[in-house]
Amino acid sequence: MLREFARRETSRLIAWTGADGPVPAEPDVIGVEYRGRLGHASSYGLLMARAAATSGVQIDLTATPVALSVPCDEATLGLTEPEYAEALRAAGRPLAGGLVITGIGEGLYGSSALVFTRLVAVVSLLLATGLESVGEPDLWATWDNASVLN
């Protein structure tokens, strides 16, 4: 299943399960890709995760031979920036349930700790409510209300 949530002309979230998204997901995994205003420092991120039995964020990445096409950026699969790992873990602390992150896509120019903090909140919401039933206003409110925790 694939759903696109567009807000204005410059922001969209693409959420998927299974093989419908830019990176194939295991059956219990939800993926979300954010594409914002081209050239902006917080314009790209991709996060895939499944629910965890324990609280917090665990990172369990596997190599995935997929090329990502992102205009005005060089996207790679994998976690290359230590600050993003810290942002992911910090964003997971207040969650009611935990996450196991199974996929990350970073833009060389367009990713930021803020993007990954917001993606953790959105993926958590989608895992809790289901991709089919979440409303667009709730999804964007979750995106807007997520903040970088120190």
Side-chain angles (χ1 to χ4, degrees), residues 97-118:
L99 296 177
V100 176
I101 296 174
T102 61
I104 295 173
E106 295 179 6
L108 180 62
Y109 308 110
S111 290
S112 68
L114 180 61
V115 167
F116 288 107
T117 297
R118 289 176 167 181

Side-chain angles (χ1 to χ4, degrees), residues 50-120:
R50 66 177 181 270
T54 58
S55 62
V57 168
Q58 303 165 44
I59 299 174
D60 183 20
L61 302 176
T62 55
T64 309
V66 175
L68 297 171
S69 175
V70 179
C72 298
D73 208 340
E74 295 175 29
T76 58
L77 286 172
L79 184 58
T80 64
E81 297 292 332
E83 73 177 278
Y84 298 158
E86 285 305 310
L88 293 166
R89 288 187 181 97
R93 285 188 203 114
L95 297 177
L99 296 177
V100 176
I101 296 174
T102 61
I104 295 173
E106 295 179 6
L108 180 62
Y109 308 110
S111 290
S112 68
L114 180 61
V115 167
F116 288 107
T117 297
R118 289 176 167 181
L119 284 171
V120 165

Side-chain angles (χ1 to χ4, degrees), residues 3 16 22 29-30 34 43-44 48 57 61 75 80 100 120-121 135:
R3 285 188 67 191
W16 73 93
V29 168
I30 288 184
Y34 171 71
S43 62
Y44 184 77
M48 299 168 63
V57 168
L61 302 176
T80 64
V100 176
V120 165

